[in-house]
Amino acid sequence: MKKVIIIGGGTGGISTAAKLKRERSSWDITIIEPSSFHYYRPLWTLVGAGLTNKEETKKKMEDLIPDGIN
Ligand SMILES: Cc1cc2nc3c(=O)[nH]c(=O)nc-3n(C[C@H](O)[C@H](O)[C@H](O)COP(=O)(O)OP(=O)(O)OC[C@H]3O[C@@H](n4cnc5c(N)ncnc54)[C@H](O)[C@@H]3O)c2cc1C
């Protein structure tokens, strides 16, 4: 079993962790992420246009980390 530590649980970190877990399910994968919340930035374009509000772009980080990832 290999151990992988990913620094940063943004778009890149979470995508990489999810892909590795799918392809190497026995690996022990940990994400180190200081923020409790993730903001979905593509939607900020619509926030700027006044079509939605910033709260709509805010998600709890723990809800986005795939199952089986530390
Ligand atoms: C207004 C706007 C609109 C956008 N629209 C689009 C779009 O339509 N399509 C598209 O593909 N992209 C879009 N993007 C770009 C997209 O959001 C970024 O390219 C993407 O989030 C980058 O991913 P990342 O993982 O490199 O960085 P991030 O998603 O920023 O993740 C980095 C993570 O590292 C963490 N971190 C920072 N310092 C440390 C540390 N010292 N130790 C541990 N963790 C740390 C941060 O808390 C963060 O969670 C948009 C961006 C903006 C601002």
Side-chain angles (χ1 to χ4, degrees):
M1 181 187 61
K2 297 223 184 297
K3 285 192 170 201
V4 176
I5 296 180
I6 297 172
I7 312 294
T11 305
I14 290 178
S15 313
T16 303
K19 185 168 168 55
L20 280 178
K21 197 67 193 174
R22 241 187 347 262
E23 294 179 1
R24 303 277 189 274
S25 59
S26 66
W27 286 15
D28 182 19
I29 302 168
T30 298
I31 296 177
I32 296 178
E33 168 55 53
S35 301
S36 306
F37 295 98
H38 173 83
Y39 289 89
Y40 182 62
R41 279 173 279 176
L43 208 52
W44 285 1
T45 310
L46 299 186
V47 174
L51 296 174
T52 187
N53 61 69
K54 197 174 170 194
E55 281 305 299
E56 288 294 319
T57 72
K58 183 178 178 183
K59 302 279 178 224
K60 273 196 201 162
M61 192 62 81
E62 66 193 61
D63 293 342
L64 301 177
I65 306 281
D67 288 343
I69 309 281
N70 309 306

